[in-house]
Amino acid sequence: MTLAGLDRRFGTDAAVLVPAVAHSDQVRAVFGGFPAAVVALCAVVDGAPYGMVATSLAVGVSYDPPMALFSARNDSSTWPVLKKAGRIGASVLAEHQGAACRQLAAKDADRFAGLSTRVTGHGPLFVEGASSWMDCEVAGELAAGDHTVITFRIHQVGHGPETPLLFHDGRFPRMRHEHIS
């Protein structure tokens, strides 16, 4: 459903809500207008690197034990292979890694060509130069419409000085830092 048949004031304020219709321009505008960090989820499976990107990662789902979650599309061809890995590396991509994000999201290309990566002892594959890293293990899965919500148990963490890559309205905007005194 597009704006054609609806009140043209959509998006002006909270008084102008419209029905949340699957795949509508309005739902896409709301979901796309939510800024999110971009995460590369990668591992070595049967000797080969596999990876995908997600903007749905939520960290701090639990602090004891440390847990995170994300959602994968049910029609993903990468997630069924990736989840076979014992452990998965979650690299929160850095602001300068927009090209790496596009490459890791590509359907018909070598997702790892030219990328600097590191594999740890348990099999997670990490993207070098990211802003944070988490060594994760799948703890559970829950059906959620056309996606599956996956919970991760986090075993190890790392954090660097880089600013995270954000995705918002189909672009990678830069964060503006303000110092609070």
Side-chain angles (χ1 to χ4, degrees):
M1 179 179 289
T2 64
L3 291 173
L6 298 174
D7 187 325
R8 296 257 181 219
R9 296 180 308 144
F10 173 78
T12 57
D13 63 44
V16 190
L17 298 176
V18 299
V21 177
H23 304 289
S24 68
D25 290 346
Q26 295 80 10
V27 168
R28 289 184 188 280
V30 170
F31 286 8
F34 190 84
V38 180
V39 180
L41 301 167
C42 306
V44 174
V45 181
D46 296 329
Y50 283 86
M52 60 189 288
V53 294
T55 57
S56 59
L57 187 79
V59 297
V61 172
S62 169
Y63 281 89
D64 188 10
M67 296 185 82
L69 64 79
F70 86 102
S71 63
R73 288 182 11 191
N74 292 337
D75 63 358
S76 169
S77 59
T78 305
W79 177 245
V81 176
L82 192 58
K83 75 178 183 178
K84 292 178 186 176
R87 302 269 267 273
I88 297 170
S91 302
V92 179
L93 296 179
E95 199 171 56
H96 67 275
Q97 293 179 311
C101 172
R102 287 185 192 90
Q103 182 175 330
L104 286 164
K107 300 267 187 231
D108 300 319
D110 179 352
R111 293 180 178 179
F112 294 93
L115 288 183
S116 181
T117 59
R118 177 181 307 273
V119 179
T120 64
H122 298 289
L125 179 64
F126 296 99
V127 177
E128 295 283 10
S131 69
S132 297
W133 304 270
M134 292 169 275
D135 172 351
C136 304
E137 179 178 17
V138 175
E141 294 184 86
L142 176 67
D146 60 0
H147 279 64
T148 299
V149 175
I150 296 97
T151 54
F152 282 145
R153 165 72 165 85
I154 302 170
H155 293 282
Q156 298 180 76
V157 296
H159 185 67
E162 300 291 337
T163 299
L165 178 67
L166 292 183
F167 185 74
H168 179 253
D169 277 340
R171 298 172 307 189
F172 300 125
R174 299 242 180 228
M175 288 178 62
R176 188 182 80 206
H177 299 279
E178 292 184 23
H179 295 283
I180 301 172
S181 5

